[in-house]
Amino acid sequence: MFGKGDSAKLALKDINLVVEPGMFIGLTGPSGSGKTTLLTIMGGLQGLTDGEVYFKDLEIGKLSEKERTHLRFNEFGFILQGSNLVPFLTVLEQFELVSKMRSKKGNNDPEAMLRELGVWDQRNQYPASLSGGQRQRVAIARALFSQPEIVFADEPTASLDSKRAKQVAKQLADITKKTGQTIIMVSHDEDVLAYTDKTFFMRDGQLTEE
């Protein structure tokens, strides 16, 4: 629910979604349909006025802010439309920061991930010197680096050309198969959504399986 009184708007309506581990889930639909709202609520970035969201046996809405922060840092990964890289850290230093902040350590090698995404040569550069597509690919690698159980991705390929977008989508699909990680992705790109295990369509805050 957004707003108050007569201006209040119900953003999500009667949504019942169960995501199994190791699934690559797509969310699509017109702008303003509630996709990003649903994604941020599931990821504990935004509160909810009604309903329940569970991660395993934890009801996210009942966790304290400290508990939600711990959950986001150690179990969740985020790929947002803006890359959200730390501007004063080089590409490699972004990964060092993640290692320091997370109590849960993954086994991924940043070099291998950056090479796979075609940005290893930029490892000593700062975000401002990267193109938009390069920044987004670094952000994708950083989100997957510590092997979070769930990755929430909001238009992760929007700044990439079609060839690179499909390559990244395939890599995300492969990751779910290899590691059992779960990825929930918002996208308008049908070529990218073709790599998901299931795609759900949103309109006016309601969710249906395509």
Side-chain angles (χ1 to χ4, degrees), residues 52-121:
E52 299 171 343
V53 177
Y54 284 89
F55 171 69
K56 298 181 177 178
D57 58 347
L58 295 175
E59 186 177 350
I60 294 176
K62 290 186 176 180
L63 299 178
S64 68
E65 182 54 38
K66 182 178 180 180
E67 290 170 329
R68 285 200 301 272
T69 299
H70 183 270
L71 188 67
R72 291 194 298 265
F73 271 125
N74 292 285
E75 303 293 349
F76 297 164
F78 297 92
I79 307 168
L80 304 177
Q81 290 187 45
S83 61
N84 289 327
L85 299 177
V86 181
F88 53 83
L89 297 180
T90 67
V91 168
L92 277 182
E93 288 170 344
Q94 307 283 334
F95 294 84
E96 293 172 6
L97 178 63
V98 171
S99 292
K100 290 177 181 177
M101 295 182 68
R102 284 181 178 259
S103 58
K104 179 180 179 180
K105 307 299 182 184
N107 297 317
N108 282 335
D109 175 8
E111 178 178 350
M113 300 185 72
L114 291 169
R115 284 189 184 280
E116 191 171 2
L117 287 164
V119 283
W120 173 246
D121 289 345

Side-chain angles (χ1 to χ4, degrees), residues 27-45:
L27 297 176
T28 192
S31 297
S33 60
K35 303 182 301 298
T36 297
T37 298
L38 177 59
L39 197 76
T40 55
I41 286 175
M42 287 190 293
L45 294 171

Side-chain angles (χ1 to χ4, degrees), residues 120-165:
W120 173 246
D121 289 345
Q122 288 73 37
R123 60 191 178 278
N124 294 316
Q125 295 184 28
Y126 292 91
S129 66
L130 304 177
S131 69
Q134 288 171 335
R135 284 195 297 272
Q136 192 67 352
R137 280 180 274 155
V138 172
I140 290 169
R142 187 185 64 176
L144 297 169
F145 170 58
S146 56
Q147 296 178 315
E149 294 217 19
I150 304 179
V151 175
F152 299 95
D154 190 7
E155 298 280 4
T157 62
S159 61
L160 308 180
D161 61 51
S162 59
K163 180 179 179 180
R164 182 69 73 175

